[in-house]
Every structure is written in structure tokens, then in C-alpha cells.
Amino acid sequence: MESHSESSLVSELAGLLKDTPIPKELEVTILPFENDEDVNTSSFMKEGVHLGIHAPNVPKLARAFRKIYYSLRNVAFDSIDSKNDSMDNLMDCISCLLLLCPDHATAWADRRRCLLKRVSALEKKSVTACMLIFWIAELGYITMLFTQHSKAPNAWGHRRWVCRQMLALFSLENRNGALREDWHPSESIIQWATLEIAVCSVIAETYPKNYYAWTHRIFVIRTLANIMSPSMCTKNDDNGRENIKAVLETEASLTEPWLCRHVSDHSAAHYGGEALALWLQVGGGSNVTRKWKMAIVQGKLQESRRLIMKFPSHEVIWTWRRICSKFCFVTFTKEEALSFLQEEISFASSIFDEASSNDAKEIEMQRLFSMAYVVWILKYARECDFDLISLMDEINVIKGRVRQMEMPKSVIQVLMKLG
Amino acid sequence: MSSSIPFYHNLHVQYIQSLASKIDSPTSYEGAVTEHLRMSGIYWSITALSLLLPAEQVDQAMNLTSCCNIENTSTSPENKTTEGTKNQSIVDFVHDCFDESTGGFGGNKLQDGHILYTLSALQILAIANALQEDRFLQIKRKVIQFIQSLQQSDGSFAGDKWGEIDTRFSYCALSSLSLLGALNDDSNHTVNVQKAAEYIASCQNFDGGFGCHPGAESHAGQIFTCVGALSIAKRLDLLRDVDLLCWWLCERQCDSGGLNGRPEKQADVCYSWWILSSLSILGRVDWISKKKLASFILKCQDEDDGGIADRPGDMVDVFHTFFGIAGLSLLGVLHEEEGGILKVLDVENGEEGGEERKAQYRRIDPVYALPTDVVRKLQLQGQIWNPNKDSSLVDDRLRSYSIYNGDM
């Protein structure tokens, strides 16, 4: 009887996952049942694209799903001629289990085994469009999962694996000929990238500083940058290259507006650095000039200055300036870099001297971050083999400032080693 | 001046000892959603308790090597259920999680082998002194081959056959091989340790930190795995600008005294481990305010039921309990003689009893996250960075490691 009840739980939830409209949002919470009878008989609720699982029932549900899962996986994979039914039942069970245990590595692995079996059947029929729809549907399931569980490393790893299956499919198209005369694989890749970036963006808005979402976004733009290479793009795909460049330029330009709305988002600042590096690498085309790069970097410095004027007591805003300054040392000549250092010392010192707020804590933070920034770029410059002799007067002033404040020992240690 | 909050010894011991029955209870929410990583959960609880109690008491309290409830603790097929560790010893449970098809250990029974849980399994067996048992020696070769199969051509490691790369897996692989005594085993052609180290070095960012792969955002947890792996590989010389890295780590200390994992994140007790262990290996623990950190960790204790939470007032869990205790050990406050800043509360034996308890506490090793006596017994290798060039300033627990002082 218990087994029948457990199976019916899987059937019920799997049915809700497959019935249209396909769920796009998941919530594990205390569901608003209208009467006591429903609380005792149901663990799920679906309204439109919103799927809810009753949180107090999670222990019971997880045990039930696991029990069915372990019994099914033996049957599905041990049998030489795996029947579609047992594979389908296993897939349904995994779909349910992962909603509660999104980091279950073995369940994800079994899910991949099931997916590969299914897609190989489509491959035999050479229906590429169906295969694409198949993988897009899988991405949809993962996206739904992320609305409740955005920090499960194995879920993100699975998403990347699915993306690689799709990218291989696009390459296959390239190798086996286009669907139509004017079709290029870069078109599909851009559509894929746009979808992935949108998903990462929504997650980052809902769950700020989400390490996995931003890391995945880096994976996406790196994939785009890689296919800019001549060996990847077809010969006459200038349109594709321009479209890819447009995506990369957009990504490289989103840091300031994002940080204005999410001032503490270090992941976004780091992403901004990676996106800028890729844009500098591919944006200028084959005739990229130092002048073009300098203009981009100078633009970033101006953005960063605006952010600091708005949010001078936020660590991440100063971190973004550190990232921008890194590009200066790579792009500028030695003379330009030394001049830049002097300007930075002057700028940070003005922030230090003019720190004002009704909140004493904010003033303290502003002074701490401005001086820490100066010490940081001086150290970075030293590591880049810049001679700081001409800046010793300024360095001594900074040492004086640092002595007046209660600076962390780490800052003092680094500053003293500058000479 | 001592902290006003004591270390609740008895409560933490009781909390850890009661975990097994709580987690496997049918009504446990935490147990339900963490079943797949039970191996790591057991490692956290065993190691935490091992810092507080002598090895024999841990063995008895946790059924580590034998189970007092039944006579026969062999791993028969009937025992391979997924219902926790009932009626079997921890070591038996570990062996039940061995995945013959891969050669690795799963997070629980009937699961695929994965490098994360393979390390946890080996750490448990090391604490239980079970790595020389016949039944382990029979599978040892397969475990080594499993780890070897995960190394990629660029030196990185996947977690399993599905190929997801992460610097955590590099640490797990090197630490596991070291526990198996197979790190430098040329005759058996195990992994390419130098290439593994070079890959890790390639993950260092401009800010001095490390992420999960090259170009990924710096994260204190990933930094530990990279620094720890380089220590095991004895290639700390590959680190670019150690001062910058340590400064990044120290910038994680918040006003509360706690440490966060990235800029402008909330402080979390687990970073007491990830960051302190890295700073210990790199010889710069004194760059942070130890008193403030110790005070933060102590505030995260549950003074009614024991255990430690991620931050004050939150619910406790075994993960943060382990890393909180490990952090206090690394800070040294758990081992200071009478008059130190940490007072141990032993409700059974009063203040004197608290001092006696403290004197018996075992130290944790920052490279392997195991009690130092276990590390010494297995003669595990490692390397530390000593910026002082005066070896007498090196912490006792690190003296068996080779010293690098940046001159190479």
C-alpha cells in the first residue's frame, strides 16, 4: 500500500510538471490550502506556471521519491534492452527528486544517461530540429528549478553539460551543411547565448551576487568570443561576427548600470572585468589600435569615477575601480601609467579628505576604502615593474594618513613594503 | 581578557552525538534534503568531535569502527539500504558507499562515485585508522585509478566521468592521493602532480585570489582548495604575490569580527576555516584580528542545544559546527593555557574541568582538515610559507611540513 502511495506521489508531481502550461516557477513553501482535508491529501499546488510543494511534507516526499528512484534505476540501467517505460518512469522520478534535492549528483548523472538514450533515438532519425527542441525543453526544466534552488553546483554543472550538447549540435550543422543556404551556425549560437544570458540576468536580479549565475555567464561570453576565431566561423559569416560583437559589447557595457542598482554585487564587478577583457580582445577587429583600447579604458574609468562619487563607502565600487585600473597598466605606456597613478592618488585623497556623511561609519568606510585603493594600485604598479621613486612623497603622505586611522594590519604590512 | 561567552563543550558534544538519530529520523527536513551528501556530513561530525574528545571516546560515541548494537558488522548486501547508518559502524557504512563500477565513493549508498565524497570517505577512514584494513587494501588500487581517471590533459580534475571541472576537485584529488600514499608513486604512474599544480596556478586572478577555474571570481572557499592543493604538491612557489592574496583574505574580516567569502557578503562561520587555513599555510594568521574572530564564532553557538550556526541567531548545522570548532582550533584559542581568551564550560566538572578539557583538545591541521595526530601518523606531506625566515615562529602543528620562504 505504501509503495502504491509513493508511486502515486511521483505520478502526481510528474504529471504537474508535464501538463501545460509547463511550470516556470517552483516554490517549496507552506501552501495556502483552503481546508484541512487538502492538507492531508495533497502535497502540491499548481496555478498557471507556478508549481508549489508543501514544505512540511518534504521529509515524507523526499523519502518516497528516493525509494522509488533507487528501485527504478536498477531496473532501467541493468536491463540490456532498456524498455522505454522504465526509462520514462525513472526520468519522471528524477524530475521529482531534484525539485527537493537539487544537488543530488547521482540523480543528475542518471538524468544525463536517460537524456542521452532519448536523444540517440532522435539522432537516428536525423531530426536536428527535434533534438534542439529536446535540449531547450531540458534547459526549461533547469530554469524552473533555479527559481527555488539557484545555488546548487550540480544543477549548474548539468546546465553546462546540456549547453555543450547543443553547441555540438550547432557544430554538427556546420559540418554536415546548413539547413538553408544563408544559414550560419553563429545564428543559433547567438540565440543560445541570448537565452542563457537572460536566464543568468533574471537569477542575478532575484539572487544578487549569485556566484554560479555569473560564472555561467562568463562561460557563455567566452564561448561566443571563441567562435570569433577563423577556424570556427564560416568564411562568409561577417554578419555573424558583427552580431557576436554586438552581444559582447553589450555585456561589456552593463557594469555601471548594474552596479548603480546593485552596489554590493562583487560578482557583477568581476564579470565586468571579464567581459571588458573579451571586448578589448575581439571588439576592435583585425585592425584594433591602442588608441581604440585606450578610449574604451578611459571610458570605464569615467564610469567608475561616477560610481565612486555616488557610493564612496561601498567596497565593491572601489573593487570595480581596481579592476579598471588593471586595464590601464596593460594599455598605457609607462609615462601614461605614472601620470595615471598620480591622478589616482589625487582622486582617492580627495575622497578621503572630503568624506562627509551623517553616518560616522560611512565616513570611516570611505576613508578606509580610498586609502586601501591607493595602496592597492601602488602595489599593483610595483608588481608590474613600475618604478615608484618619483611617487615617494605621495607614498609618505599616504603613510601618514594610514597612521592616523585604524587600518587593518594587512594594509599596513603591504604599505610598509612599498618603501 | 577572556571572552564573556564560553565555549559550550558538553552541549556541542551532545549535539554532534545526537545528529545520527536526528538526521535519519523520518521527520527530519535536514536529513531529507542532505541524504545525498551523508558521507561529507559524517566527516564533519566525526572530525568536529575528534577535536573535542580523545580518539577512543569518539570511536565509542559515534560507532566509528564498531557498532555496539549488533555483533555482526560486515557489509552484507542486505545492509545496502539507504536508511542511514543504523545497525552498522561508520567504517562499514563507508565501505557500503564504495561504487565498484567507478572505483570511487558515493555520497551515500547506491550512489555513483564522486571525488568530493571519495575524499570525505578517505578522511573518515584515516581518522578511524582503517586505511590499512584488508578490505580497504583490496579496493585501494581501484580508488587510485578512479582519481587518476579524473585528471584532464591540462592538469585539472573533473568530479566524475561527466567532466565538470572545479579547483575543489583538484584539492580533493591531491589530498586523497596523499592519504593513500600514492601522490609521488612513479612506479604506478598516478596523476601528474606538477601539471595539476600548474593548472591551479593558472586559476590565480589579478586580485591574488582563486576561483573555480581560470577567470572565475575569487572566492575564499576556492582559495583554500587552491592553496591547500599547492601545499600538498609542494609548489607554493607557483603563487604569484602572496602578500596580495593574503591581503585579499584579510579584507574579508567584517566589523563583527567574522569573515565573509567575497567583498560585501555577510560574515559566515565557515570562512573561519577557509580563510584561516589558507593564512596558516601562508604564515600570515596574525594579519587578522584573532580576538574579534574568536568572539564572532563564540556568538554563533546555540547556548541551549549546542552546535554552531553560520552567524549569530541562526539555526545550527553540522557543517558550521565543524568549521566553527576548526576555526577556534586554528586560531589557537582552543588550546591556550589557563588565562587565555577562551573559557571552556564543562557543566559536569566546573571551571577546573573546563581547563582540563581544553588541555585535551586535539589540534586541526590546516592542509588536510584532519586532527594533527592523524596527519603525523600517516606522515602526510605538505608545504608551508614562512615569511619570517625564523623557523621557531612556525606553529607547532606545521613543523613536519617543508618550509618555503620565497627564496626559490
Side-chain angles (χ1 to χ4, degrees):
Chain A
M1 288 301 286
E2 187 172 276
S3 175
H4 172 75
S5 161
E6 287 157 355
S7 297
S8 68
L9 286 170
V10 171
S11 299
E12 185 186 352
L13 183 53
L16 292 172
L17 284 169
K18 287 188 275 196
D19 290 344
T20 53
I22 302 290
K24 289 187 176 174
E25 285 189 19
L26 170 70
E27 201 172 355
V28 179
T29 185
I30 297 175
L31 294 176
F33 291 113
E34 286 186 0
N35 53 60
D36 290 341
E37 199 179 301
D38 285 342
V39 171
N40 292 327
T41 57
S42 181
S43 297
F44 318 113
M45 203 178 264
K46 185 177 175 186
E47 284 180 13
V49 296
H50 302 280
L51 175 64
I53 298 177
H54 196 47
N57 291 359
V58 164
K60 175 187 87 170
L61 290 171
R63 286 172 75 90
F65 295 162
R66 273 202 304 273
K67 191 173 171 186
I68 304 282
Y69 166 58
Y70 287 119
S71 65
L72 284 177
R73 78 185 295 248
N74 291 336
V75 173
F77 295 123
D78 287 351
S79 163
I80 293 170
D81 299 312
S82 295
K83 295 180 183 177
N84 283 338
D85 280 355
S86 59
M87 196 71 69
D88 289 345
N89 292 339
L90 176 63
M91 192 64 166
D92 282 349
C93 188
I94 290 171
S95 295
C96 296
L97 178 60
L98 289 172
L99 298 186
L100 303 180
C101 305
D103 215 30
H104 198 301
T106 304
W108 283 116
D110 282 345
R111 191 173 180 88
R112 286 188 280 274
R113 291 180 181 110
C114 292
L115 289 168
L116 286 173
K117 290 259 182 202
R118 285 181 176 177
V119 85
S120 71
L122 290 173
E123 247 175 1
K124 283 173 190 162
K125 296 176 191 173
S126 297
V127 190
T128 308
C130 288
M131 288 163 69
L132 210 55
I133 292 169
F134 175 82
W135 290 121
I136 289 172
E138 180 64 7
L139 288 179
Y141 170 79
I142 305 166
T143 304
M144 183 265 303
L145 194 80
F146 282 156
T147 57
Q148 174 70 39
H149 305 292
S150 68
K151 290 186 183 179
N154 285 309
W156 284 99
H158 180 76
R159 191 176 187 96
R160 253 185 303 285
W161 179 85
V162 172
C163 288
R164 289 195 178 102
Q165 307 308 307
M166 292 177 72
L167 291 167
L169 202 58
F170 300 146
S171 298
L172 195 67
E173 286 292 0
N174 192 27
R175 286 200 302 272
N176 293 345
L179 284 172
R180 56 181 193 275
E181 275 185 7
D182 59 344
W183 182 84
H184 296 286
S186 58
E187 197 176 300
S188 299
I189 291 173
I190 290 167
Q191 285 173 4
W192 161 80
T194 305
L195 170 69
E196 290 304 289
I197 286 170
V199 168
C200 291
S201 188
V202 167
I203 293 171
E205 285 280 5
T206 317
Y207 303 103
K209 312 168 200 178
N210 188 298
Y211 188 89
Y212 303 102
W214 286 105
T215 302
H216 186 76
R217 200 162 174 165
I218 293 174
F219 158 72
V220 173
I221 59 173
R222 280 204 181 145
T223 302
L224 282 182
N226 285 344
I227 68 167
M228 290 286 289
S229 68
S231 61
M232 296 296 291
C233 262
T234 54
K235 279 185 192 170
N236 300 317
D237 194 10
D238 291 338
N239 217 28
R241 284 200 188 86
E242 288 309 306
N243 290 338
I244 289 171
K245 277 167 65 175
V247 174
L248 293 176
E249 185 176 18
T250 302
E251 290 302 288
S253 64
L254 64 76
T255 313
E256 188 196 7
W258 186 278
L259 288 179
C260 277
R261 296 184 297 112
H262 308 278
V263 291
S264 305
D265 197 336
H266 181 263
S267 301
H270 174 84
Y271 178 79
E274 295 299 303
L276 180 58
L278 286 176
W279 176 238
L280 289 172
Q281 188 186 314
V282 305
S286 51
N287 298 319
V288 63
T289 62
R290 196 178 81 88
K291 192 176 170 187
W292 178 81
K293 285 187 177 180
M294 279 195 58
I296 303 281
V297 172
Q298 296 278 20
K300 288 298 166 194
L301 282 174
Q302 284 165 16
E303 283 180 11
S304 162
R305 181 179 279 253
R306 285 196 293 269
L307 284 169
I308 287 176
M309 300 310 289
K310 273 187 194 167
F311 312 109
S313 61
H314 273 273
E315 184 181 6
V316 167
I317 300 303
W318 286 99
T319 302
W320 174 232
R321 195 158 188 87
R322 291 182 186 183
I323 295 170
C324 294
S325 71
K326 172 189 78 165
F327 288 98
C328 295
F329 289 115
V330 169
T331 316
F332 293 176
T333 62
K334 284 242 156 120
E335 291 73 29
E336 287 166 344
L338 274 171
S339 172
F340 164 70
L341 270 174
Q342 278 170 327
E343 286 165 11
E344 289 303 283
I345 292 171
S346 173
F347 169 60
S349 299
S350 71
I351 300 291
F352 181 94
D353 292 333
E354 291 160 23
S356 65
S357 169
N358 293 330
D359 187 336
K361 188 67 196 167
E362 280 206 10
I363 294 175
E364 184 192 334
M365 289 292 107
Q366 207 168 311
R367 289 182 169 169
L368 168 66
F369 293 139
S370 56
M371 282 304 102
Y373 170 67
V374 170
V375 175
W376 194 92
I377 53 163
L378 286 170
K379 178 175 181 22
Y380 194 79
R382 166 71 66 79
E383 295 304 316
C384 293
D385 291 328
F386 283 90
D387 189 347
L388 302 179
I389 290 283
S390 61
L391 296 171
M392 287 320 295
D393 287 343
E394 286 90 338
I395 291 174
N396 287 330
V397 169
I398 292 159
K399 283 182 180 173
R401 281 205 169 101
V402 166
R403 277 190 213 104
Q404 288 170 24
M405 301 172 59
E406 202 181 307
M407 290 292 270
K409 187 174 180 182
S410 50
V411 178
I412 295 168
Q413 290 279 344
V414 169
L415 182 57
M416 292 307 127
K417 287 184 184 180
L418 287 174
Chain B
M1 184 181 293
S2 65
S3 164
S4 57
I5 302 175
F7 178 74
Y8 297 107
H9 171 90
N10 312 89
L11 289 179
H12 296 321
V13 169
Q14 281 165 23
Y15 168 76
I16 295 169
Q17 286 180 192
S18 68
L19 276 169
S21 56
K22 274 189 208 165
I23 290 284
D24 290 334
S25 154
T27 56
S28 166
Y29 191 103
E30 188 184 354
V33 300
T34 61
E35 178 262 0
H36 58 280
L37 51 80
R38 189 66 73 245
M39 186 70 76
S40 296
I42 290 174
Y43 157 71
W44 297 324
S45 58
I46 295 286
T47 315
L49 202 61
S50 294
L51 299 181
L52 303 181
L53 297 177
E56 310 76 42
Q57 287 185 31
V58 174
D59 194 341
Q60 201 174 16
M62 303 295 280
N63 293 333
L64 183 56
T65 59
S66 63
C67 185
C68 52
N69 292 329
I70 55 170
E71 288 179 9
N72 181 11
T73 60
S74 66
T75 55
S76 59
E78 290 75 27
N79 263 344
K80 279 194 181 261
T81 66
T82 58
E83 295 306 312
T85 59
K86 279 191 290 200
N87 298 329
Q88 64 175 171
S89 70
I90 298 277
V91 171
D92 287 342
F93 168 81
V94 170
H95 278 278
D96 272 353
C97 295
F98 177 67
D99 175 16
E100 299 219 8
S101 65
T102 60
F105 289 87
N108 207 320
K109 299 172 192 177
L110 304 177
Q111 292 186 21
D112 293 350
H114 193 284
I115 192 65
L116 285 175
Y117 308 119
T118 298
L119 175 60
S120 295
L122 294 175
Q123 287 169 316
I124 294 167
L125 294 180
I127 291 174
N129 197 26
L131 288 173
Q132 297 303 320
E133 284 183 355
D134 284 343
R135 59 175 164 168
F136 180 75
L137 292 175
Q138 283 167 17
I139 62 172
K140 184 174 174 177
R141 186 77 236 138
K142 286 186 186 171
V143 179
I144 292 171
Q145 284 170 343
F146 167 68
I147 301 168
Q148 184 185 2
S149 73
L150 298 175
Q151 188 169 33
Q152 311 299 301
S153 56
D154 61 0
S156 65
F157 282 87
D160 59 17
K161 64 170 258 189
W162 296 97
E164 185 69 5
I165 306 296
D166 193 308
T167 46
R168 290 181 297 155
F169 306 151
S170 297
Y171 171 79
C172 291
L174 295 186
S175 184
S176 297
L177 288 172
S178 187
L179 285 166
L180 295 168
L183 198 57
N184 299 310
D185 196 350
D186 292 331
S187 62
N188 287 318
H189 302 293
T190 57
V191 301
N192 187 331
V193 175
Q194 297 313 310
K195 206 141 194 207
E198 285 159 15
Y199 172 78
I200 292 164
S202 75
C203 297
Q204 190 167 16
N205 293 319
F206 87 103
D207 58 12
F210 291 83
C212 55
H213 45 68
E217 184 188 358
S218 294
H219 184 287
Q222 307 290 153
I223 288 172
F224 161 72
T225 63
C226 292
V227 171
L230 288 175
S231 169
I232 294 171
K234 293 188 183 176
R235 291 306 309 273
L236 289 176
D237 61 290
L238 289 175
L239 283 172
R240 186 177 31 83
D241 203 341
V242 172
D243 277 348
L244 188 67
L245 166 56
C246 292
W247 182 12
W248 190 96
L249 291 170
C250 294
E251 282 186 320
R252 301 302 112 243
Q253 189 156 34
C254 307
D255 287 342
S256 61
L259 301 167
N260 62 25
R262 291 177 282 155
E264 290 211 62
K265 293 277 286 182
Q266 282 188 287
D268 185 320
V269 149
C270 68
Y271 294 107
S272 310
W273 168 261
W274 307 124
I275 291 176
L276 270 184
S277 51
S278 301
L279 290 174
S280 295
I281 294 168
L282 299 174
R284 288 159 172 85
V285 178
D286 59 328
W287 278 22
I288 61 159
S289 169
K290 294 201 263 185
K291 270 189 195 168
K292 286 177 81 175
L293 177 57
S295 174
F296 174 80
I297 298 172
L298 291 172
K299 284 178 191 164
C300 294
Q301 298 174 102
D302 182 328
E303 60 186 24
D304 296 318
D305 299 317
I308 297 176
D310 55 352
R311 53 191 72 93
D314 281 359
M315 272 187 64
V316 304
D317 58 59
V318 65
F319 175 82
H320 290 96
T321 300
F322 167 55
F323 288 118
I325 295 173
L328 290 173
S329 173
L330 274 184
L331 281 170
V333 298
L334 214 55
H335 311 290
E336 285 172 334
E337 289 177 4
E338 204 168 332
I341 66 169
L342 185 143
K343 279 264 181 283
V344 174
L345 179 63
D346 183 339
V347 293
E348 291 163 12
N349 301 306
E351 193 168 313
E352 211 174 281
E355 289 302 317
E356 278 179 25
R357 290 278 187 201
K358 208 173 169 186
Q360 291 172 1
Y361 285 160
R362 294 155 79 184
R363 284 163 162 72
I364 191 151
D365 175 87
V367 178
Y368 290 95
L370 290 168
T372 53
D373 52 280
V374 173
V375 171
R376 273 198 296 272
K377 187 168 185 175
L378 292 170
Q379 297 181 306
L380 301 181
Q381 75 171 41
Q383 186 183 52
I384 58 158
W385 191 305
N386 180 20
N388 298 308
K389 298 188 172 133
D390 176 358
S391 58
S392 67
L393 295 173
V394 171
D395 191 305
D396 274 346
R397 72 186 89 197
L398 303 172
R399 284 181 189 276
S400 60
Y401 291 143
S402 66
I403 295 176
Y404 176 68
N405 57 18
D407 286 343
M408 288 172 62

